[in-house]
Amino acid sequence: MATQKTILRYPSLSVASAFDKEQALIRRIEQGELNEALLLWQPDAQTLVLPAGQKWPQTPELLRALAALGWQVQSRRTGGAPVPQLPGVINVSYLTVWPANTPYHIQTAYQYFCTILQSFFHQLGIATTVGDTPGSYCDGDYNLNIADKKVVGTAQRILRLGAGASTGVGAEAGVGAGDTKQTVMLAQACLLIDADCQHIVAPVSLCNQLCDHPDRIEAEVHTPLSAHLVELPTTEQLFQLLTQAFMARSPLVVGKA
């Protein structure tokens, strides 16, 4: 069993490079070189990340319209909804090997990850709650909210060591204790740090419109961290606070979902 851990921090990185580095970490865990990894990164350019599949086709019309707004497009392998990435947003990818011979519980995994993220905000004197945020882009049950406004979106995937591919959580939520392959949790978070919410939601709304999705995205249900601090720490300082939050976390205790 590997006991090595690694932390990677990139204050300016393309979305494509960030995805490559995440995959490289996954391969290292699959090869037994690591059992835990933390990747922190900030995008270097405005990029709308579109999920794989037919629900969000990258038509020439969509690409031209997004380019006219100043947005690049990047695909990701998993599903979900469009996510805007740009400077002023910090991303977290956290990989950890799930306890051996223990069933995987999606609620436990999300709650564990959100508790760590909440401790980051606690270091800044900010209280957050966990829950959905109606009207937000890529909404989910495990957003972090400040006064009912979304500041962090989270996602989660699991991987089976030796399986050669990652799968959606729903397909693996019933993994049994008798399985011999290890389960790896990949938890991801997107933190709004210092970005104009009207500007962020514009490409998502455009994408919904051109892809015939009725979801209405509302800028006012989002909030950046900068709106709640007198002085915003530097990116490196925020990376350090996030690192401290993960280093100080309690051990993962798995119980019933």
Side-chain angles (χ1 to χ4, degrees):
M1 176 66 181
T3 57
Q4 291 187 350
K5 306 175 184 181
T6 190
I7 299 172
L8 302 177
R9 311 197 301 192
Y10 298 94
S12 183
L13 189 67
S14 71
V15 173
S17 295
F19 289 173
D20 288 343
K21 292 183 183 301
E22 188 178 83
Q23 289 301 311
L25 289 173
I26 290 171
R27 287 193 296 270
R28 291 184 64 189
I29 291 179
E30 288 177 334
Q31 292 165 3
E33 298 176 12
L34 297 171
N35 71 342
E36 192 173 16
L38 179 65
L39 171 63
L40 306 176
W41 60 280
Q42 180 174 221
D44 64 357
Q46 295 188 154
T47 307
L48 185 67
V49 179
L50 290 180
Q54 299 302 313
K55 187 177 180 180
W56 306 100
Q58 294 188 32
T59 63
E61 180 187 11
L62 175 62
L63 297 179
R64 285 195 300 268
L66 289 171
L69 291 180
W71 288 81
Q72 305 174 15
V73 175
Q74 176 67 45
S75 298
R76 69 170 183 259
R77 299 179 181 179
T78 54
V83 174
Q85 295 283 358
L86 74 168
V89 168
I90 285 179
N91 291 272
V92 177
S93 292
Y94 175 59
L95 296 105
T96 186
V97 175
W98 198 256
N101 301 317
T102 304
Y104 178 82
H105 292 124
I106 182 174
Q107 293 90 343
T108 299
Y110 264 119
Q111 289 164 3
Y112 181 67
F113 185 51
C114 288
T115 297
I116 299 172
L117 295 171
Q118 285 185 293
S119 69
F120 159 75
F121 285 94
H122 182 73
Q123 292 178 86
L124 295 167
I126 296 174
T128 57
T129 56
V130 177
D132 65 341
T133 321
S136 66
Y137 64 82
C138 201
D139 192 19
D141 292 336
Y142 294 92
N143 300 330
L144 264 64
N145 299 298
I146 300 174
D148 298 324
K149 294 187 177 184
K150 179 176 178 177
V151 67
V152 178
T154 62
Q156 190 183 135
R157 294 159 56 198
I158 62 170
L159 307 96
R160 303 302 308 283
L161 291 183
S166 61
T167 63
V169 196
E172 295 284 357
V175 173
D179 274 305
T180 56
K181 293 178 180 177
Q182 286 184 315
T183 299
V184 174
M185 177 183 78
L186 167 57
Q188 299 164 314
C190 180
L191 288 69
L192 298 180
I193 300 300
D194 188 21
D196 181 277
C197 294
Q198 291 282 355
H199 182 70
I200 284 180
V201 305
V204 183
S205 296
L206 175 63
C207 190
N208 284 347
Q209 177 185 348
L210 294 182
C211 294
D212 294 324
H213 294 295
D215 297 339
R216 179 177 173 82
I217 309 302
E218 302 173 6
E220 57 270 20
V221 305
H222 304 80
T223 187
L225 175 62
S226 59
H228 304 274
L229 294 174
V230 175
E231 183 178 354
L232 183 67
T234 66
T235 298
E236 288 293 348
Q237 289 171 332
L238 292 170
F239 279 180
Q240 184 58 35
L241 290 174
L242 281 164
T243 300
Q244 290 172 7
F246 278 87
M247 292 180 66
R249 74 199 180 287
S250 299
L252 173 61
V253 177
V254 179
K256 292 184 178 181

PDB file of all heavy atoms in Angstrom, residues 194-212:
ATOM      1  N   ASP A 194     -12.589  35.910  -7.209  1.00  0.00           N
ATOM      2  CA  ASP A 194     -12.680  37.337  -7.540  1.00  0.00           C
ATOM      3  C   ASP A 194     -13.108  37.470  -8.992  1.00  0.00           C
ATOM      4  O   ASP A 194     -12.291  37.715  -9.880  1.00  0.00           O
ATOM      5  CB  ASP A 194     -11.332  38.016  -7.300  1.00  0.00           C
ATOM      6  CG  ASP A 194     -11.412  39.533  -7.430  1.00  0.00           C
ATOM      7  OD1 ASP A 194     -12.531  40.068  -7.302  1.00  0.00           O
ATOM      8  OD2 ASP A 194     -10.376  40.173  -7.662  1.00  0.00           O
ATOM      9  N   ALA A 195     -14.389  37.284  -9.239  1.00  0.00           N
ATOM     10  CA  ALA A 195     -14.892  37.307 -10.608  1.00  0.00           C
ATOM     11  C   ALA A 195     -16.263  37.965 -10.632  1.00  0.00           C
ATOM     12  O   ALA A 195     -17.021  37.884  -9.667  1.00  0.00           O
ATOM     13  CB  ALA A 195     -14.977  35.884 -11.160  1.00  0.00           C
ATOM     14  N   ASP A 196     -16.545  38.634 -11.735  1.00  0.00           N
ATOM     15  CA  ASP A 196     -17.838  39.278 -11.921  1.00  0.00           C
ATOM     16  C   ASP A 196     -18.871  38.211 -12.289  1.00  0.00           C
ATOM     17  O   ASP A 196     -18.741  37.525 -13.300  1.00  0.00           O
ATOM     18  CB  ASP A 196     -17.744  40.315 -13.039  1.00  0.00           C
ATOM     19  CG  ASP A 196     -19.056  41.035 -13.274  1.00  0.00           C
ATOM     20  OD1 ASP A 196     -19.914  40.484 -13.992  1.00  0.00           O
ATOM     21  OD2 ASP A 196     -19.226  42.137 -12.723  1.00  0.00           O
ATOM     22  N   CYS A 197     -19.904  38.072 -11.462  1.00  0.00           N
ATOM     23  CA  CYS A 197     -20.862  36.981 -11.641  1.00  0.00           C
ATOM     24  C   CYS A 197     -21.681  37.136 -12.917  1.00  0.00           C
ATOM     25  O   CYS A 197     -22.008  36.141 -13.574  1.00  0.00           O
ATOM     26  CB  CYS A 197     -21.760  36.872 -10.410  1.00  0.00           C
ATOM     27  SG  CYS A 197     -20.860  36.373  -8.917  1.00  0.00           S
ATOM     28  N   GLN A 198     -22.023  38.368 -13.298  1.00  0.00           N
ATOM     29  CA  GLN A 198     -22.726  38.578 -14.555  1.00  0.00           C
ATOM     30  C   GLN A 198     -21.875  38.081 -15.731  1.00  0.00           C
ATOM     31  O   GLN A 198     -22.375  37.456 -16.669  1.00  0.00           O
ATOM     32  CB  GLN A 198     -23.050  40.065 -14.738  1.00  0.00           C
ATOM     33  CG  GLN A 198     -24.096  40.613 -13.787  1.00  0.00           C
ATOM     34  CD  GLN A 198     -25.519  40.224 -14.193  1.00  0.00           C
ATOM     35  OE1 GLN A 198     -25.731  39.620 -15.245  1.00  0.00           O
ATOM     36  NE2 GLN A 198     -26.483  40.569 -13.359  1.00  0.00           N
ATOM     37  N   HIS A 199     -20.591  38.365 -15.671  1.00  0.00           N
ATOM     38  CA  HIS A 199     -19.677  37.950 -16.727  1.00  0.00           C
ATOM     39  C   HIS A 199     -19.536  36.428 -16.767  1.00  0.00           C
ATOM     40  O   HIS A 199     -19.478  35.831 -17.859  1.00  0.00           O
ATOM     41  CB  HIS A 199     -18.307  38.595 -16.503  1.00  0.00           C
ATOM     42  CG  HIS A 199     -17.308  38.279 -17.555  1.00  0.00           C
ATOM     43  ND1 HIS A 199     -17.389  38.773 -18.835  1.00  0.00           N
ATOM     44  CD2 HIS A 199     -16.193  37.501 -17.525  1.00  0.00           C
ATOM     45  CE1 HIS A 199     -16.371  38.321 -19.553  1.00  0.00           C
ATOM     46  NE2 HIS A 199     -15.635  37.547 -18.783  1.00  0.00           N
ATOM     47  N   ILE A 200     -19.500  35.796 -15.610  1.00  0.00           N
ATOM     48  CA  ILE A 200     -19.305  34.346 -15.543  1.00  0.00           C
ATOM     49  C   ILE A 200     -20.495  33.580 -16.111  1.00  0.00           C
ATOM     50  O   ILE A 200     -20.320  32.589 -16.819  1.00  0.00           O
ATOM     51  CB  ILE A 200     -19.038  33.917 -14.081  1.00  0.00           C
ATOM     52  CG1 ILE A 200     -17.614  34.270 -13.680  1.00  0.00           C
ATOM     53  CG2 ILE A 200     -19.262  32.425 -13.905  1.00  0.00           C
ATOM     54  CD1 ILE A 200     -17.275  33.870 -12.267  1.00  0.00           C
ATOM     55  N   VAL A 201     -21.693  34.033 -15.805  1.00  0.00           N
ATOM     56  CA  VAL A 201     -22.867  33.256 -16.229  1.00  0.00           C
ATOM     57  C   VAL A 201     -23.219  33.481 -17.701  1.00  0.00           C
ATOM     58  O   VAL A 201     -23.953  32.681 -18.289  1.00  0.00           O
ATOM     59  CB  VAL A 201     -24.098  33.567 -15.349  1.00  0.00           C
ATOM     60  CG1 VAL A 201     -23.780  33.336 -13.881  1.00  0.00           C
ATOM     61  CG2 VAL A 201     -24.612  34.976 -15.576  1.00  0.00           C
ATOM     62  N   ALA A 202     -22.704  34.535 -18.317  1.00  0.00           N
ATOM     63  CA  ALA A 202     -23.068  34.855 -19.705  1.00  0.00           C
ATOM     64  C   ALA A 202     -22.809  33.700 -20.674  1.00  0.00           C
ATOM     65  O   ALA A 202     -23.695  33.352 -21.474  1.00  0.00           O
ATOM     66  CB  ALA A 202     -22.348  36.121 -20.161  1.00  0.00           C
ATOM     67  N   PRO A 203     -21.616  33.060 -20.660  1.00  0.00           N
ATOM     68  CA  PRO A 203     -21.400  31.977 -21.618  1.00  0.00           C
ATOM     69  C   PRO A 203     -22.256  30.749 -21.329  1.00  0.00           C
ATOM     70  O   PRO A 203     -22.626  30.025 -22.259  1.00  0.00           O
ATOM     71  CB  PRO A 203     -19.908  31.665 -21.471  1.00  0.00           C
ATOM     72  CG  PRO A 203     -19.560  32.111 -20.090  1.00  0.00           C
ATOM     73  CD  PRO A 203     -20.401  33.327 -19.856  1.00  0.00           C
ATOM     74  N   VAL A 204     -22.580  30.517 -20.058  1.00  0.00           N
ATOM     75  CA  VAL A 204     -23.432  29.375 -19.716  1.00  0.00           C
ATOM     76  C   VAL A 204     -24.850  29.607 -20.223  1.00  0.00           C
ATOM     77  O   VAL A 204     -25.479  28.715 -20.805  1.00  0.00           O
ATOM     78  CB  VAL A 204     -23.437  29.129 -18.194  1.00  0.00           C
ATOM     79  CG1 VAL A 204     -24.273  27.897 -17.861  1.00  0.00           C
ATOM     80  CG2 VAL A 204     -22.017  28.951 -17.667  1.00  0.00           C
ATOM     81  N   SER A 205     -25.357  30.820 -20.025  1.00  0.00           N
ATOM     82  CA  SER A 205     -26.694  31.151 -20.525  1.00  0.00           C
ATOM     83  C   SER A 205     -26.758  31.046 -22.040  1.00  0.00           C
ATOM     84  O   SER A 205     -27.730  30.538 -22.612  1.00  0.00           O
ATOM     85  CB  SER A 205     -27.089  32.558 -20.076  1.00  0.00           C
ATOM     86  OG  SER A 205     -27.194  32.635 -18.664  1.00  0.00           O
ATOM     87  N   LEU A 206     -25.706  31.519 -22.708  1.00  0.00           N
ATOM     88  CA  LEU A 206     -25.640  31.427 -24.164  1.00  0.00           C
ATOM     89  C   LEU A 206     -25.637  29.965 -24.608  1.00  0.00           C
ATOM     90  O   LEU A 206     -26.341  29.594 -25.558  1.00  0.00           O
ATOM     91  CB  LEU A 206     -24.389  32.136 -24.667  1.00  0.00           C
ATOM     92  CG  LEU A 206     -24.110  32.042 -26.171  1.00  0.00           C
ATOM     93  CD1 LEU A 206     -25.217  32.719 -26.968  1.00  0.00           C
ATOM     94  CD2 LEU A 206     -22.759  32.665 -26.501  1.00  0.00           C
ATOM     95  N   CYS A 207     -24.870  29.146 -23.915  1.00  0.00           N
ATOM     96  CA  CYS A 207     -24.791  27.723 -24.244  1.00  0.00           C
ATOM     97  C   CYS A 207     -26.153  27.054 -24.055  1.00  0.00           C
ATOM     98  O   CYS A 207     -26.593  26.264 -24.907  1.00  0.00           O
ATOM     99  CB  CYS A 207     -23.737  27.059 -23.370  1.00  0.00           C
ATOM    100  SG  CYS A 207     -23.329  25.380 -23.868  1.00  0.00           S
ATOM    101  N   ASN A 208     -26.822  27.354 -22.956  1.00  0.00           N
ATOM    102  CA  ASN A 208     -28.156  26.794 -22.733  1.00  0.00           C
ATOM    103  C   ASN A 208     -29.109  27.188 -23.855  1.00  0.00           C
ATOM    104  O   ASN A 208     -29.906  26.374 -24.343  1.00  0.00           O
ATOM    105  CB  ASN A 208     -28.706  27.278 -21.388  1.00  0.00           C
ATOM    106  CG  ASN A 208     -28.090  26.563 -20.204  1.00  0.00           C
ATOM    107  OD1 ASN A 208     -27.419  25.545 -20.361  1.00  0.00           O
ATOM    108  ND2 ASN A 208     -28.298  27.091 -19.012  1.00  0.00           N
ATOM    109  N   GLN A 209     -29.026  28.447 -24.253  1.00  0.00           N
ATOM    110  CA  GLN A 209     -29.925  28.947 -25.294  1.00  0.00           C
ATOM    111  C   GLN A 209     -29.687  28.238 -26.622  1.00  0.00           C
ATOM    112  O   GLN A 209     -30.632  27.767 -27.270  1.00  0.00           O
ATOM    113  CB  GLN A 209     -29.726  30.449 -25.465  1.00  0.00           C
ATOM    114  CG  GLN A 209     -30.559  31.068 -26.574  1.00  0.00           C
ATOM    115  CD  GLN A 209     -30.232  32.544 -26.782  1.00  0.00           C
ATOM    116  OE1 GLN A 209     -29.549  33.153 -25.966  1.00  0.00           O
ATOM    117  NE2 GLN A 209     -30.709  33.110 -27.880  1.00  0.00           N
ATOM    118  N   LEU A 210     -28.431  28.135 -27.029  1.00  0.00           N
ATOM    119  CA  LEU A 210     -28.121  27.561 -28.340  1.00  0.00           C
ATOM    120  C   LEU A 210     -28.243  26.037 -28.353  1.00  0.00           C
ATOM    121  O   LEU A 210     -28.382  25.442 -29.428  1.00  0.00           O
ATOM    122  CB  LEU A 210     -26.719  27.985 -28.773  1.00  0.00           C
ATOM    123  CG  LEU A 210     -26.539  29.483 -29.051  1.00  0.00           C
ATOM    124  CD1 LEU A 210     -25.126  29.783 -29.530  1.00  0.00           C
ATOM    125  CD2 LEU A 210     -27.563  29.978 -30.076  1.00  0.00           C
ATOM    126  N   CYS A 211     -28.177  25.418 -27.181  1.00  0.00           N
ATOM    127  CA  CYS A 211     -28.329  23.960 -27.099  1.00  0.00           C
ATOM    128  C   CYS A 211     -29.742  23.552 -26.679  1.00  0.00           C
ATOM    129  O   CYS A 211     -29.995  22.384 -26.367  1.00  0.00           O
ATOM    130  CB  CYS A 211     -27.306  23.377 -26.120  1.00  0.00           C
ATOM    131  SG  CYS A 211     -25.588  23.533 -26.657  1.00  0.00           S
ATOM    132  N   ASP A 212     -30.631  24.540 -26.644  1.00  0.00           N
ATOM    133  CA  ASP A 212     -32.055  24.288 -26.365  1.00  0.00           C
ATOM    134  C   ASP A 212     -32.296  23.691 -24.984  1.00  0.00           C
ATOM    135  O   ASP A 212     -33.097  22.765 -24.821  1.00  0.00           O
ATOM    136  CB  ASP A 212     -32.665  23.379 -27.437  1.00  0.00           C
ATOM    137  CG  ASP A 212     -32.703  24.039 -28.804  1.00  0.00           C
ATOM    138  OD1 ASP A 212     -32.939  25.265 -28.859  1.00  0.00           O
ATOM    139  OD2 ASP A 212     -32.486  23.337 -29.806  1.00  0.00           O
TER     140      ASP A 212
END
